[in-house]
Amino acid sequence: MGKIVITEFVSLDGVMEDPGGAEDFKYGGWTFQINRGEDGDKFKLDETMQSDALLLGRVTYGGFAQAWPSREGEFADKFNNMRKYVVSSTLRDPEWTNTTVIDGDLGEAIAKIKEENEGDVVVHGSRQLAQALIDQGLADELRLMVFPVVLGAGKRLFGDTSEKQDLELAESRTVGDGVAILVYRRPSGK
């Protein structure tokens, strides 16, 4: 059975908007201003190479589908060939290889996705989807790469939830120039 993993770059104040600078956010590209070091790069590479599938919201999917098919290399090959699920009520005919559109009850879709995959089904970006997965208790793990910067503005990972969410810290370490990698899981038995 697969597991749903949300992986995000976040600022100390929880902003996740435009870490790479491809959007029109006033602080776009903020992650490139702080070195995450070789260990941070290895963490992200290992995470991708160990993933079975991607689960993305429509906006993030659109950006990935535009960027990755034209890229080459081991990382790009992995992204381009693995299964992809996109949550969207408007996308009908996705062109990126191995893509399935999810439209309907999120809980039912997640149960099916977990049955179809043995390993990690990873959510990158996709703020609204990540918030819904957290709120509905559908995320098995959160992997946060927390950059030592306060942006003060921007879309945040955590929004209002319907109830308190308990998590256990499974791993923590610091890489590069003070970037914290924090891995949280749902408590055993929940």
Side-chain angles (χ1 to χ4, degrees), residues 4-187:
I4 303 299
V5 176
I6 296 172
T7 184
E8 303 290 355
F9 297 133
V10 295
S11 67
L12 281 174
D13 55 341
V15 174
M16 63 175 287
E17 186 173 358
D18 199 10
E23 301 164 34
D24 194 25
F25 177 52
K26 67 179 177 178
Y27 300 121
W30 52 271
T31 59
F32 292 126
Q33 298 165 9
I34 301 165
N35 183 359
R36 65 185 188 196
E38 288 181 22
D39 289 339
D41 291 344
K42 183 177 180 339
F43 175 81
K44 293 308 286 182
L45 177 63
D46 290 349
E47 176 181 73
T48 296
M49 299 316 285
Q50 294 167 10
S51 299
D52 275 2
L54 295 174
L55 172 61
L56 305 169
R58 185 193 50 76
V59 174
T60 301
Y61 173 84
F64 277 33
Q66 185 176 24
W68 286 104
S70 63
R71 296 183 183 175
E72 296 180 358
E74 184 180 25
F75 196 91
D77 289 347
K78 178 71 175 179
F79 263 25
N80 287 322
N81 293 314
M82 75 169 81
R83 284 184 187 176
K84 290 166 275 297
Y85 302 92
V86 57
V87 177
S88 175
S89 60
T90 58
L91 184 64
R92 296 289 172 244
D93 298 311
E95 294 181 13
W96 198 13
T97 307
N98 296 327
T99 296
T100 301
V101 176
I102 306 294
D103 182 14
D105 184 85
L106 186 60
E108 290 176 12
I110 294 302
K112 184 177 179 188
I113 289 169
K114 289 173 79 167
E115 286 178 20
E116 293 175 353
N117 295 278
E118 290 297 317
D120 294 346
V121 179
V122 181
V123 179
H124 297 267
S126 307
R127 183 180 61 88
Q128 288 180 294
L129 173 59
Q131 287 179 349
L133 292 167
I134 292 166
D135 186 47
Q136 295 179 37
L138 299 172
D140 299 300
E141 188 170 290
L142 291 172
R143 296 178 188 158
L144 306 178
M145 191 171 266
V146 183
F147 287 76
V149 62
V150 174
L151 298 174
K155 295 175 183 170
R156 288 175 165 69
L157 173 58
F158 298 104
D160 291 341
T161 57
S162 57
E163 58 186 70
K164 180 175 77 85
Q165 302 285 325
D166 293 324
L167 300 170
E168 292 178 344
L169 182 63
E171 178 185 343
S172 67
R173 60 184 156 137
T174 305
V175 297
D177 292 337
V179 177
I181 295 174
L182 305 172
V183 178
Y184 292 95
R185 295 189 182 117
R186 295 220 166 269

